[in-house]
Structures are given as structure tokens and as C-alpha cells.
Amino acid sequence: MNRRESLKLFVGAAGAVAAGSLFGRPGALAQPAPAQPAGPFKLPPLGYAYEALEPNIDAQTMTIHHQRHHGAFITNLNNLVGKYPELAGSASDPVPLLSDLSKVPLDVRTGVRNNLGGHFNHTFFWELMTPGGAKEPGGALKAAIDRDFKSASEMMDKLNAAGLGRFGSGWAWLIVTKDKKLDVVNTPYQDTPHMELGGKPVLGVDVWEHAYYLKYQNRRGDYLKAWWNTVNWDKAADNFRKATA
Ligand code: MN3
């Protein structure tokens, strides 16, 4: 595969313009993404260019995060399908299995937890961010935030604290709980809110160091503050609608 073909394959239509400028810039990621093995799991293309979230999230972080980190979950999942063929059914909808990991054979359960969780979390994260979209919550989501947190800014403070409070690697979330209330939580590693908590995510932010270290180093709080500028509240409203349906 030559460089042009590999770019086309891994960047996707939405990122094709971005990749041209990104790869031509000093200090940008110089190597094409690794080849993906065949299988039912596919790396979903971003709906925007790698540099579209600058200056809040830099293009190099987005490129590595999407191609390498998310790409590794896809590779691992396709390898796991060989040991556990029923896993292929989760390629179209991972939530049922994430909600009941006891169905997964013990010898592959940790692999499914980490990699299917990682695939879900990152897909959710990419879709939640955008260079455009509504800049604040509206409609039924706003009403629920005001009911359960008093205001959007109080909810955002709590979510920032949940992200800062997650020791090591994990995620911070705004979820709809089993009793249909909004709550802020964090999860370790690639655990999703469906697993232990039985919750459904509305907002989610990756607080693994790979999500911010190139630009923010140890300043996770600065990353979290900037991340809010990328949130697509239209998508959050859509997540809320589905979670409360
Ligand atoms: Mn990540």
C-alpha cells in the first residue's frame, strides 16, 4: 500500500483535506497509520478534520488518538472474534454486551471489556465533539440539568472534578441513571457507564494522558476546560433523548 492509499483508507473522506496539510507541517506525525486486519469491526471515520478542534485539541493528538489508540481497539476486537465468534454481533451495537459482560467467556472477558469498551467510548467521544454545533444545552436536556444540578455551570464544574478525580486513566461522564436522573461519574480504564453503573452516557470525556499530554502535559484541568469548547450540544441532546426514551 502506498502512502496515498493508506491515507485515504485511514483518514476517511472527512479528514482527507486535513491530512494533506497535517502531514506537510513540521512536527506533524510523519508515518502512515498501521494497516487494519479484516474483520467485522471498523475504525469509524471522524466527522471532521483532525485539526478541526484546534486550538482546544491539537491535530497531532487527534491523529494519534484516532488512528493508533482507537485503531488498536479495532485490531484487538477483530482478533478476539477468532476466539469468541459471537462478538461479531457487537460490531453494529456494542451496548447490549457492554451492559452484561457476564455473557462473555471468562478467558476473553477482560479483552472484550477493555477493547469493546474502548471502541464504544472513543466512537462516542468523536461524535460528541465538533467545530460547530450548539454551544450550550437546550430543550429537555437543559431542563434536566437545571433540575438535577441547578445550572449548566454547576454540572460542568462537577464533571471537571470527576475528570480530575479519576486517578490514572479513565473517563468522566454525565449519565442518565437507572432512575432517569442525571448524574456525574467517572470510570476507570475503558469501562463504560453501562457496566457497573447501568447508566447511559450523555457526555463523556477521555482523561487518559494520551488524550491531552502533547499539548497540555500534566495540566488535565486545562484540557478539561478547553474540551468544553468542542462539545456538540446537539449531539448531547440526542444522547439524552435516547437515554430517556
Ligand atoms: Mn483515548
Side-chain angles (χ1 to χ4, degrees):
M1 187 184 298
N2 67 32
R3 199 173 104 131
R4 175 171 301 210
E5 281 164 352
S6 67
L7 281 178
K8 226 188 257 173
L9 191 56
F10 299 116
V11 173
V17 175
S21 56
L22 173 67
F23 281 79
R25 219 162 53 202
L29 189 68
Q31 293 175 351
Q36 297 281 322
F41 290 91
K42 311 280 180 212
L43 182 62
L46 294 182
Y48 42 82
Y50 283 120
E51 76 261 38
L53 305 178
E54 297 257 15
N56 300 296
I57 304 181
D58 61 285
Q60 191 175 17
T61 295
M62 287 298 293
T63 307
I64 296 170
H65 200 174
H66 179 250
Q67 294 180 354
R68 307 298 169 98
H69 290 271
H70 195 168
F73 297 127
I74 301 300
T75 300
N76 294 339
L77 285 166
N78 285 327
N79 289 334
L80 281 164
V81 170
K83 288 188 197 163
Y84 175 48
E86 294 93 326
L87 181 61
S90 293
S92 55
D93 182 9
V95 171
L97 202 58
L98 293 173
S99 304
D100 188 5
L101 287 168
S102 70
K103 288 179 182 149
V104 182
L106 212 48
D107 63 323
V108 291
R109 194 175 298 165
T110 300
V112 170
R113 182 181 198 122
N114 291 339
N115 291 287
L116 192 62
H119 176 40
F120 173 87
N121 288 342
H122 286 82
T123 305
F124 183 91
F125 186 56
W126 310 137
E127 291 178 355
L128 185 61
M129 297 188 291
T130 181
K135 295 297 175 203
E136 52 188 40
L141 175 57
K142 180 182 176 358
I145 288 171
D146 290 347
R147 180 195 66 205
D148 294 335
F149 296 94
K150 294 195 181 83
S151 69
S153 74
E154 285 206 24
M155 181 278 290
M156 290 159 79
D157 287 347
K158 286 210 164 94
L159 203 144
N160 289 344
L164 282 167
R166 166 50 54 192
F167 182 76
S169 300
W171 291 73
W173 304 95
L174 176 69
I175 64 166
V176 174
T177 62
K178 285 179 194 163
D179 55 357
K180 304 278 181 193
K181 291 224 166 67
L182 287 173
D183 197 10
V184 163
V185 297
N186 62 35
T187 55
Y189 308 112
Q190 296 298 345
D191 281 11
T192 79
H194 317 90
M195 291 177 185
E196 309 296 337
L197 302 162
K200 294 176 181 173
V202 177
L203 298 169
V205 57
D206 190 341
V207 296
W208 285 60
E209 284 186 343
H210 67 235
Y212 61 87
Y213 207 87
L214 290 176
K215 183 177 170 81
Y216 296 97
Q217 295 82 49
N218 60 316
R219 292 172 286 117
R220 188 187 285 185
D222 289 352
Y223 156 69
L224 284 166
K225 199 172 153 199
W227 174 75
W228 287 105
N229 297 324
T230 73
V231 169
N232 179 357
W233 287 101
D234 295 321
K235 182 64 183 174
D238 196 41
N239 294 336
F240 179 70
R241 239 186 327 271
K242 284 182 193 149
T244 49

